[in-house]
Amino acid sequence: MKKTILALSIGLLSACSQIPENAIVLSVGDDTAVFEPNSNGLLVAEQKLEKGSYTFTIADSNQSCGSSFALAEESRIKFNRPLKMDNCATDAQMPLRIFKANTYQFTLNPTTNELTVRLKPKKNQDITYSCPVATNTPKTINVEQTFNDGTVVRDALTGQQATVANGSVTMQPGPMSQGLLLLEEVEQQAEKPFSWDNATVYFVMTDRFYNGNPDNDNSYGRSKDGKYEIGTFHGGDLAGLTKKLDYIESLGVNAIWITSPLEQIHGWVGGGDKGDFKHYGYHGYYHQDWTKLDANMGTEDELRTFVDTAHKKGIRVIWDVVMNHTGYATLADMQEFGFGQLYLDDQEAKEVLGEKWTDWQPKSGQSWHSFNDYIKYGDSEAWDKWWGKDWIRTDIGEYDAPGYNDITMSLNYLPDLKTESTQKTGLPNFFRNKDTNAQDKLKTPREHLITWLSDWVRDYGIDGFRVDTAKHVEMEAWAELKASTTQALAQWKQNNPDKALDDLPFWMTGEVWAHSVVKSPYFDNGFDSIINFEFQSDVAPKALKCFAQLDSDYRRYAERINSDPEFNVLSYLSSHDTQLFWSARSRSFDDQARAANALMLAPGAVQIYYGDEIARDFGVTGSDPTQGTRSDMPWDKIHGEREDLLQHWQKLGEFRKRHPAVAQGKHITRNQEGYYAFERQYHDDKVLIVYTGE
């Protein structure tokens, strides 16, 4: 095995410096820097770069397989994001464009073969707390600054209790706690009202969660592929969500985010770069009609039952929504709704594609992408029968071509909705041939979309939206969506006083790639929260080595979030389009418990991705690596270590739910000799978190 160099400092090598044998080196032009390990086992190199375009390499002096890196999936560097690398590359030149002169940090994870490029962090003046050494005997904890003498306190993880005497208690952490004690008063205060600032959100990819109604599994003629079922519908639906709400509630969850249940394209497209699987819109991001539920998800009665049941359990409902793009054109939709054109005449179409075009399968030498070979994309009249030029831009027919900025570009070749247009239009042209609830009125595309989405809030009491691809739609659209949905939710609560949980306004969080714990203009345009991308990659991994290393991040989060009532973030461990923490970073069930501790004790709102709590395994991917993050919820495997892990998450979730101080409180470090501790304090609620080592 190749030996990687270990050294004490990171810096540029002068022209006369001798690079140690077997070192992995960053080379940018004539400048080089050695990758050297940090305290987390990651390899780091730094380079000062002026504004401009560069190419760089990462390799040892021999360009050895295993130590010669190139981008595996991306064509260019995307900052602040872990990028998959090929560590056996022959052509290791990588492009890099710098827009601001600064010192940049290149971090290579040798375990996952991921590279992250970011600005060099400012020098951290925070105190770094040493990791305590665990013992097999109970630990005496000084609690006098948090709890008065005579107070009976409990460890939420084990249930053991002790009475404070002389300012201290003595307790032993439980076997699953990873050295933590979660201390709270036994005599609890009255239940605190819900706030989105301390939300615990459970994110479910509905199709992969639980099949509550098998009768809807093959709607619109959809079918399995008979192979790996990577991108097919698996059967999860709204009825299944309803049946599993008790399970979700057991995690202390007070909000559930579901992938969009709205009607998706009926057919499939080729999946992955290689077209090695057929890919339906099972994930809810290939919209076709914003006024109809997708039949695979269920009926409007099943939707109402789900929302009402969730509300009865104190769980708010958040929908994933898309306003940037529509779904692709597919053979099924072309045939059903009468748009587009084939190179084949009717008889040839029957012979080549069959009676139902969607049943076509690739022959020898073809892939699932090969269906495109039969479609005449240049026929402008035939394709105007699809959405129409007032609605979308796409490289089909005579539609306006996609642009090069965030607003007008095409993401993954998806048709881009003209949400910035002031041109009023009726319904999409193909809606004339389909069953829809849309009203044929003259509005701009943005007005149509906002009306359609707001109607679901007004009719069913949806509490919030998670906005997909937020930076690819103009800010004004989000402000208008928030104003409209806030009015719609208020109307639903007025009309359904027996069902309303509270008088809180509509809530919105958004996906802005690489956003962290900073207040950006999104908060002035309808957003109450933005998803925090840094927690998964930069913060949570610290807990795998030593929980005390989270102190500076926790303090930073608490100070930024709680000093501004109009600012919050949504932190997460795993997601559907990044990675599963369990497969990418955790090396054991103990690691997954450590990660749970990091997330569930973090300031601000948090998101649990379905299955994080039972270490759901990474699935089959084909040539699209994100598909593996969307594997089926393994209900039949929740026993043994997985059941122990689940119980740990449940205790953390209930503790967090009981105590607003965890998410909203001031972070006060109470470091003592032999252990690390911090207090969280919010109004009359306070808790003490103690880490004794492990």
Side-chain angles (χ1 to χ4, degrees), residues 73 84 114 574-585 609-612 614-622 624-632 634 637 642:
E73 295 158 2
K84 275 287 185 184
E114 290 179 327
S574 305
S575 80
H576 62 307
D577 54 9
T578 55
Q579 59 184 218
L580 293 185
F581 202 88
W582 167 246
S583 60
R585 296 183 182 274
Y609 187 38
Y610 78 103
D612 270 355
I614 48 93
R616 174 172 59 89
D617 289 325
F618 192 73
V620 183
T621 68
D624 179 357
T626 62
Q627 297 297 328
T629 67
R630 308 162 186 180
S631 56
D632 288 339
K637 295 182 180 179
R642 281 191 163 90

Side-chain angles (χ1 to χ4, degrees), residues 226-272:
K227 198 173 182 182
Y228 299 116
E229 311 301 345
I230 296 170
T232 57
F233 279 85
H234 289 194
D237 49 27
L238 294 165
L241 291 177
T242 302
K243 290 180 179 180
K244 291 298 183 180
L245 280 171
D246 286 345
Y247 171 88
I248 294 168
E249 183 186 23
S250 75
L251 288 161
V253 164
N254 45 30
I256 180 171
W257 153 21
I258 66 172
T259 46
S260 175
L262 299 179
E263 184 181 332
Q264 305 293 297
I265 55 175
H266 292 181
W268 47 265
V269 291

Side-chain angles (χ1 to χ4, degrees), residues 131-409:
C131 279
V133 178
T135 64
N136 293 323
T137 57
K139 182 77 69 174
T140 298
I141 309 297
N142 183 338
V143 299
E144 62 182 352
Q145 293 175 290
T146 309
F147 305 115
N148 296 326
D149 275 6
T151 302
V152 181
V153 299
R154 171 178 53 217
D155 170 33
L157 293 178
T158 61
Q160 62 187 304
Q161 298 182 9
T163 302
V164 179
N166 298 319
S168 65
V169 295
T170 301
M171 288 188 179
Q172 176 73 30
M176 195 68 190
S177 71
Q178 312 308 320
L180 281 187
L181 295 165
L182 310 185
L183 301 184
E184 60 184 350
E185 291 188 30
V186 170
E187 186 177 342
Q188 296 296 319
Q189 304 293 325
E191 185 175 345
K192 305 297 191 295
F194 169 81
S195 168
W196 285 105
D197 290 337
N198 63 18
T200 300
V201 180
Y202 193 78
F203 171 28
V204 178
M205 182 153 286
T206 305
D207 175 67
R208 304 302 170 88
F209 196 59
Y210 189 73
N211 192 344
N213 181 6
D215 292 340
N216 62 28
D217 288 0
N218 300 306
S219 302
Y220 314 118
R222 292 167 177 158
S223 62
K224 304 292 188 183
D225 63 24
K227 198 173 182 182
Y228 299 116
E229 311 301 345
I230 296 170
T232 57
F233 279 85
H234 289 194
D237 49 27
L238 294 165
L241 291 177
T242 302
K243 290 180 179 180
K244 291 298 183 180
L245 280 171
D246 286 345
Y247 171 88
I248 294 168
E249 183 186 23
S250 75
L251 288 161
V253 164
N254 45 30
I256 180 171
W257 153 21
I258 66 172
T259 46
S260 175
L262 299 179
E263 184 181 332
Q264 305 293 297
I265 55 175
H266 292 181
W268 47 265
V269 291
D273 294 337
K274 298 179 180 178
D276 46 332
F277 59 93
K278 68 175 179 179
H279 188 181
Y280 287 109
Y282 70 88
H283 41 57
Y285 299 110
Y286 294 167
H287 283 66
Q288 180 150 269
D289 189 338
W290 279 254
T291 72
K292 299 280 290 184
L293 290 179
D294 193 278
N296 265 76
M297 295 295 102
T299 66
E300 292 192 11
D301 284 342
E302 288 170 327
L303 171 62
R304 194 176 305 279
T305 297
F306 163 64
V307 175
D308 289 351
T309 306
H311 283 166
K312 287 177 183 177
K313 295 180 177 295
I315 300 174
R316 281 80 182 162
V317 177
I318 304 165
W319 272 17
D320 220 322
V321 297
V322 181
M323 283 187 13
N324 173 68
H325 55 266
T326 73
Y328 300 103
T330 72
L331 289 172
D333 297 293
M334 289 171 60
Q335 185 177 35
E336 183 176 359
F337 302 125
F339 62 79
Q341 183 67 47
L342 301 176
Y343 284 109
L344 311 172
D345 61 30
D346 289 347
Q347 184 58 38
E348 289 172 327
K350 288 182 180 180
E351 293 174 359
V352 175
L353 303 179
E355 290 289 341
K356 292 171 60 179
W357 298 353
T358 194
D359 290 339
W360 175 86
Q361 294 192 11
K363 309 297 188 295
S364 177
Q366 292 182 316
S367 73
W368 288 100
H369 287 324
S370 299
F371 81 95
N372 290 289
D373 298 342
Y374 305 116
I375 299 177
K376 192 175 183 179
Y377 285 112
D379 191 316
S380 59
E381 182 179 352
W383 284 100
D384 191 53
K385 296 177 182 178
W386 188 26
W387 281 88
K389 299 172 190 175
D390 289 338
W391 273 93
I392 63 171
R393 56 176 64 84
T394 182
D395 290 320
I396 294 177
E398 293 185 357
Y399 285 86
D400 292 340
Y404 297 97
N405 58 47
D406 284 340
I407 304 303
T408 63
M409 69 182 293

Side-chain angles (χ1 to χ4, degrees), residues 470-626:
K471 78 173 184 177
H472 296 286
V473 176
E474 58 283 357
M475 291 284 194
E476 298 82 5
W478 301 131
E480 291 173 19
L481 177 65
K482 178 63 176 298
S484 179
T485 50
T486 296
Q487 182 183 49
L489 183 58
Q491 289 176 353
W492 179 84
K493 290 182 177 182
Q494 183 178 5
N495 295 335
N496 298 273
D498 57 325
K499 295 182 179 181
L501 285 171
D502 49 49
D503 59 358
L504 294 177
F506 193 79
W507 181 80
M508 277 192 358
T509 191
E511 175 205 30
V512 180
W513 202 264
H515 202 287
S516 59
V517 190
V518 294
K519 192 169 185 181
S520 62
Y522 292 94
F523 291 89
D524 297 322
N525 289 276
F527 287 94
D528 304 283
S529 165
I530 294 293
I531 293 172
N532 174 25
F533 281 76
E534 78 164 20
F535 190 85
Q536 178 194 66
S537 58
D538 295 357
V539 178
K542 297 177 183 179
L544 303 187
K545 185 174 182 180
C546 174
F547 182 80
Q549 291 186 3
L550 298 174
D551 189 81
S552 62
D553 295 302
Y554 276 175
R555 188 182 315 113
R556 172 170 58 94
Y557 280 23
E559 289 172 354
R560 293 184 181 180
I561 292 169
N562 301 328
S563 64
D564 187 343
E566 296 183 352
F567 173 65
N568 211 315
V569 296
L570 189 62
S571 299
Y572 68 92
L573 289 176
S574 305
S575 80
H576 62 307
D577 54 9
T578 55
Q579 59 184 218
L580 293 185
F581 202 88
W582 167 246
S583 60
R585 296 183 182 274
S586 293
R587 299 175 299 276
S588 64
F589 283 94
D590 282 342
D591 270 0
Q592 194 72 355
R594 294 181 184 102
N597 295 339
L599 179 70
M600 300 302 282
L601 298 174
V606 298
Q607 168 235 299
I608 305 169
Y609 187 38
Y610 78 103
D612 270 355
E613 72 279 7
I614 48 93
R616 174 172 59 89
D617 289 325
F618 192 73
V620 183
T621 68
S623 60
D624 179 357
T626 62

